Amino acid sequence: MYLSKNYKFLLGCLFMLFLSVGCNEDDDVGVLITDNSDRTVAEAADRRTELSSLIAALRAADGNLYDVLGGAGPFTLFAPSDAAFADLAGALGFSDAGALLEGVDGATLATILTYHVVPERVTSGALEDGGELATVQGETVQISLADGVKVLDKTERPETSTSATVTEADDLASNGVIHIIDKVLLPQSIIDALAIDTRPTILQLAVASEGLSILEAAVLKAGLDGALSGTNNDEDNNELGYTVFAPTDDAFVALLESLGDDYNSLDDFDNDLEMSLLSTILTYHVLPVRVAAAGLAAGDQATLAEVDLGIVASGASFALDDASDDNANITATDIDGSNGVVHTIDKVLLPPAVFEFLDLLASDDLAALVGATPSLSILEEALVKTELAALFVDDMNESFVQEDGESDEDFAARRVPANFTYYNTATVFAPNNDAFVALLDLLGDDYNSLDDFDTDEEIDLLKDILLYHVAGGSVLAEDLSAGDVIATSNGGALDIIQSLTLDALVIGDASNDINAGLLLTDLTAKNGVAHVVDKVLLPQSAVDFITAMGEEEE
């Protein structure tokens, strides 16, 4: 965009007027950060490495602005950082600040930069909440002191928070003062000329809309704020936008009630599995294309959760059909944002994953699975004898809240459960009763039942044997491959071997002798999976114990 020669002439005259007349200085310097009283505003800015883009812009702009800021003044310069220029470059479609300065003509740069200059010395102590400052460009900026020191330009809207924050104040120069800000300020003339879209993003709409506070909190908790603040383009870089069906706060309260006593707030989504579920629920409300109310049509619609959402006719309007028995009604439509459109709804949409999760919570754990399988009764006895049974019991869904003063590291450590749970699962290679009988025979006449493990050494050995059958995480049979090495809970390892004689996978232990065959696979439980095997797997401690027994007999 090019400005007329007449405008350039007037701009030059305006600067000369400020240079010759000047204004009264304010003696209240506020909080003194830097004293450059022997340097001009231009020189003081030039010394700062974080203002290199600003200096380049002053030199590239029409009107010789660098030299102007080296004149008599006084001036107050709200100086955007390099990061602020990079943000503006990205918003305008430039690769970086350098490309921005090359792609925007000098007159436009002059208009933008003079909007950052107030023709008087205004230190931080003189700034007033709600006050307006007239800029050299001609338009005003507004000051807000409600949450730090903010400078509001013409992009500010009720739904957005696009004001610049003063990150460092009162760099005093011989002819004025500099305040560092984190955003390039935009006057209305530039917004109009460059057709800058100042509409809020769909996330900002959610933040600003009454009755959507829980949705906002959920989006932030799930880490989806970046996605809902950005753009969505197709492979040809055409902007598609998003459609968000936004559940109200009442809808979220109803969801928490339906999940049961363990879910009273978003704080109860605090482990990896629950966080993944929350993300799935939220992305199930987002269509990867902008669809206004007039464009809604009956049928299945793809969502960011990669699960289709049903849109069904409901009188003269439409309702949303999820995996539950109740449809969601659209209560308000076409809340327009820069990167999409929002329609509010009266119900949290439930993808199939929610019901799979609830079924999981209601299912038996590994301890119950072993106890309900007759062929594993000796294994159950061994777990009780070694006091390992509790390791496989998942009888509570605990919620964790970081306490005041608790470090992130301590909080993370406290959240690691001592037992295997639905969010901390295990794989158990479970020896059947015949396998335990064979182990007792191998140990000799002194071992006829588990009762014969009656010394501390023997109980510790039995415990080590049992933990050798347990691996962290749920590993299904289809995930096993020849050559795999599986780390076990006792610090050992199991080898997955392809048996040529059996044409099946077998499991090798530390004995390097007889391998274990898989009899039953994929017995699923709330907190893991069990595979029944036909041999008690022997860790190195058991091999050493058996070897020592043989040497004693000799």
Side-chain angles (χ1 to χ4, degrees):
M1 180 200 76
Y2 293 90
L3 302 182
S4 68
K5 292 182 179 179
N6 288 336
Y7 183 88
K8 296 180 184 179
F9 176 76
L10 291 173
L11 181 66
C13 291
L14 183 61
F15 268 115
M16 293 303 295
L17 177 64
F18 287 129
L19 288 173
S20 61
V21 176
C23 298
N24 294 329
E25 295 190 32
D26 191 326
D27 293 331
D28 185 358
V29 298
V31 179
L32 180 63
I33 300 297
T34 306
D35 185 358
N36 276 303
S37 56
D38 59 339
R39 298 179 178 85
T40 66
V41 165
E43 292 169 337
D46 208 351
R47 296 183 69 218
R48 288 180 168 271
T49 57
E50 74 270 35
L51 299 182
S52 60
S53 296
L54 172 62
I55 297 302
L58 289 170
R59 296 186 185 280
D62 287 357
N64 200 15
L65 299 187
Y66 184 89
D67 289 344
V68 168
L69 292 177
F75 303 109
T76 296
L77 173 63
F78 292 102
S81 65
D82 289 347
F85 272 96
D87 289 342
L88 177 63
L92 296 180
F94 294 97
S95 59
D96 53 33
L100 169 69
L101 298 183
E102 291 180 3
V104 176
D105 62 87
T108 299
L109 285 176
T111 303
I112 294 173
L113 293 173
T114 54
Y115 188 56
H116 292 74
V117 181
V118 176
E120 58 181 303
R121 180 195 293 262
V122 185
T123 59
S124 61
L127 296 174
E128 298 180 356
D129 187 37
E132 289 192 347
L133 298 175
T135 69
V136 169
Q137 180 265 344
E139 298 181 53
T140 60
V141 294
Q142 186 176 6
I143 302 300
S144 171
L145 304 181
D147 183 21
V149 181
K150 307 283 188 182
V151 185
L152 283 61
D153 65 5
K154 300 309 178 184
T155 63
E156 182 74 9
R157 290 168 55 114
E159 306 92 345
T160 61
S161 180
T162 54
S163 55
T165 298
V166 176
T167 58
E168 186 174 333
D170 297 334
D171 185 343
L172 297 180
S174 62
N175 63 342
V177 62
I178 299 172
H179 306 300
I180 311 298
I181 57 176
D182 63 358
K183 175 183 180 291
V184 177
L185 303 170
L186 296 177
Q188 190 63 51
S189 58
I190 291 298
I191 292 171
D192 295 340
L194 298 184
I196 296 173
D197 190 350
T198 62
R199 291 175 298 172
T201 65
I202 49 180
L203 178 61
Q204 290 169 330
L205 286 171
V207 171
S209 298
E210 185 177 353
L212 298 181
S213 61
I214 300 180
L215 173 62
E216 176 202 354
V219 168
L220 295 175
K221 184 179 182 70
L224 296 175
D225 47 312
L228 296 184
S229 298
T231 57
N232 176 37
N233 298 337
D234 62 17
E235 56 187 17
D236 296 323
N237 206 35
N238 298 311
E239 185 172 336
L240 300 175
Y242 296 102
T243 300
V244 175
F245 295 107
T248 62
D249 290 345
D250 289 341
F252 271 101
V253 170
L255 169 66
L256 293 169
E257 290 177 352
S258 70
L259 292 177
D261 295 339
D262 291 322
Y263 296 90
N264 300 300
S265 73
L266 292 179
D267 290 337
D268 293 320
F269 289 82
D270 55 10
N271 59 60
D272 291 344
L273 187 58
E274 289 170 335
M275 291 292 288
S276 176
L277 177 68
L278 181 61
S279 179
T280 299
I281 292 172
L282 294 173
T283 53
Y284 189 55
H285 290 75
V286 184
L287 311 183
V289 63
R290 182 193 292 261
V291 182
L296 292 174
D300 290 339
Q301 182 72 49
T303 69
L304 290 189
E306 300 182 353
V307 179
D308 286 351
L309 173 66
I311 298 178
V312 298
S314 177
S317 183
F318 291 95
L320 306 177
D321 181 22
D322 60 7
S324 74
D325 295 330
D326 299 319
N327 293 336
N329 298 304
I330 300 174
T331 56
T333 61
D334 295 341
I335 305 171
D336 196 35
S338 60
N339 63 337
V341 62
V342 175
H343 311 299
T344 62
I345 57 177
D346 63 358
K347 173 182 179 291
V348 176
L349 302 171
L350 303 180
V354 170
F355 298 95
E356 294 168 2
F357 177 76
L358 293 176
D359 288 342
L360 176 69
L361 292 183
S363 62
D364 288 336
D365 55 25
L366 286 166
L369 185 152
V370 170
T373 307
S375 63
L376 300 180
S377 60
I378 301 180
L379 172 60
E380 180 184 20
E381 181 185 352
L383 292 173
V384 172
K385 186 176 186 68
T386 56
E387 298 182 349
L388 287 176
L391 184 64
F392 302 99
V393 174
D394 183 12
D395 59 358
M396 67 180 299
N397 178 16
E398 184 174 359
S399 295
F400 298 91
V401 177
Q402 191 166 5
E403 299 173 355
D404 292 340
E406 184 178 21
S407 69
D408 292 341
E409 293 77 11
D410 289 344
F411 180 50
R414 185 164 58 86
R415 292 171 60 192
V416 177
N419 58 317
F420 292 108
T421 68
Y422 68 94
Y423 59 91
N424 178 49
T425 59
T427 298
V428 178
F429 296 98
N432 64 8
N433 292 341
D434 290 342
F436 273 101
V437 170
L439 172 65
L440 294 170
D441 289 342
L442 178 65
L443 293 175
D445 294 341
D446 291 333
Y447 294 90
N448 300 299
S449 72
L450 294 183
D451 290 337
D452 293 321
F453 288 82
D454 52 12
T455 67
D456 290 343
E457 179 187 8
E458 290 170 328
I459 292 175
D460 287 342
L461 173 65
L462 182 58
K463 185 174 183 177
D464 196 49
I465 291 173
L466 294 175
L467 291 175
Y468 189 55
H469 292 74
V470 182
S474 295
V475 182
L476 298 175
E478 64 182 17
D479 299 324
L480 297 173
S481 300
D484 289 348
V485 177
I486 298 178
T488 61
S489 293
N490 77 327
L494 299 173
D495 297 314
I496 305 301
I497 303 167
Q498 177 66 50
S499 172
L500 299 179
T501 56
L502 298 177
D503 190 26
L505 295 177
V506 294
I507 304 172
D509 59 12
S511 70
N512 293 316
D513 187 8
I514 301 173
N515 299 318
L518 293 162
L519 299 177
L520 294 173
T521 60
D522 298 344
L523 303 179
T524 57
K526 178 195 306 188
N527 55 348
V529 60
H531 309 293
V532 179
V533 295
D534 62 2
K535 174 182 181 288
V536 174
L537 299 165
L538 301 179
Q540 190 60 50
S541 60
V543 173
D544 294 342
F545 183 83
I546 294 171
T547 301
M549 288 178 57
E551 292 174 350
E552 290 176 0
E553 292 177 357
E554 293 178 1

